[in-house]
Amino acid sequence: MIFETIARTGHEEVVFCHNPDVGLKAIIAVHNSVLGPALGGLRMWPYKSEQEAVNDVLRLSRGMTYKNAVAGLNLGGGKAVIIGDPSKDKSEALFRAFGRFVNSLNGRYITAEDVGIDVNDMEWVFRETQFVTGVHQVHGGSGDPSPFTAYGTLQGLLASLNAKFGSEEVGRHVYAVQGVGHVGLEFVKLLREHDAKVFVTDINREAVQRCVDEFGCEAVGIDEIYDVDADVFSPCALGGTINEQTLPRLKCKVICGAANNQLATDAIGEEVERRGILYAPDYAVNAGGVMNISLEIDGYNRERAMRMMRTIYHNLTRIFQIAAQDGIPTFRAADRMAEERIQTIGKLRLPHMGSNAPRFEGRMRGQ
């Protein structure tokens, strides 16, 4: 059934990686490499089944294709998942074994940090392959991408506020932030720097308490976040939280957050539009992290990264314009923008087959 599945989703390649000696069960999915080698993060999660892991990596890798296309990057979309509990199953051997599988693709897939993974884990992967981004600064990398993803999310928020309220004044509004992990916490910091009122929730109670103690946020329960009387709902945890059960409870006028795949289905996206809620397409909003790490390929420069992330504002503005002009939901406008770029560039290029591997100038391995 896997060939039928990838034919339906448009994937080019799915690699199953197994090393029983170190407990590695991983999947690498390359969705589309027309724009360049597939770049996308590595997620470690205790999936309930192998099928669930397959479904997740296929969904996430397709999202990366659209994210990288809308962001204007010369990169395709890919993703990897490791089946395991990040709180107890990590080891040097596991990540180095995964790194060898990445290296075997010869640059066709470039990995990075995602849910359940941190920069220390990437260090072990980096021991075995150069095709890693988000490595520590001591190696010439950019380090943790979370602050950059959050900064890019703020740019998307500014564009959304301007489109909905005619003003970019962040502090005038109330926010319900769902998830205060690495990215969510950084986003909360930025909101509070603008003196915005922020409600937060997370399964990690310590993270929530930190937001309360250090940043003056107000904590609410996991399920209560949907009922908060907020202007902006910001999903910053896992995907699919905007669904048939939760959407009727939202009181917001804008949905803008850092999570991937926020809409459970396309039908939900249509209903968001009908309810008059402005949805900022997730992969256009949260592209700051991938923009930042992509610069490691040619030699990282932080100033250039910050300048690049400010283009997220203009990308969102363009998406809102397309949606208004064509009378379509914003998520479809974003897809159209991505697909048009892939189609146009596809006339110039063939899929990336791993030759002419990325340069990664200024990077030092084995340090």
Side-chain angles (χ1 to χ4, degrees), residues 29 34 46 112 143 217 260 269 274 319 338 356:
V34 168
C217 300
N260 288 312
R274 281 192 290 271
I319 288 168
N356 300 318

Side-chain angles (χ1 to χ4, degrees), residues 162-174:
N162 190 45
K164 188 66 176 180
F165 303 111
S167 167
E168 299 175 10
E169 295 184 47
V170 174
R172 292 178 55 184
H173 303 285
V174 179

Side-chain angles (χ1 to χ4, degrees), residues 92-144:
E92 174 185 352
L94 181 138
F95 287 110
R96 293 185 69 165
F98 174 76
R100 291 191 175 195
F101 281 106
V102 171
N103 201 55
S104 71
L105 296 177
N106 193 31
R108 185 159 160 73
Y109 167 68
I110 303 169
T111 196
E113 177 184 330
D114 196 28
V115 174
I117 302 295
D118 60 34
V119 69
N120 299 310
D121 304 323
M122 288 291 100
E123 289 282 302
W124 299 125
V125 178
F126 190 48
R127 291 286 183 94
E128 300 296 333
T129 181
Q130 67 172 323
F131 303 117
V132 183
T133 53
V135 299
H136 198 278
Q137 292 93 332
V138 298
H139 301 298
S142 59
D144 181 6

Side-chain angles (χ1 to χ4, degrees), residues 220-238:
V220 298
I222 296 293
D223 190 57
E224 296 170 3
I225 194 70
Y226 303 107
D227 301 313
V228 170
D229 191 7
D231 301 306
V232 181
F233 180 67
S234 296
C236 294
L238 297 178

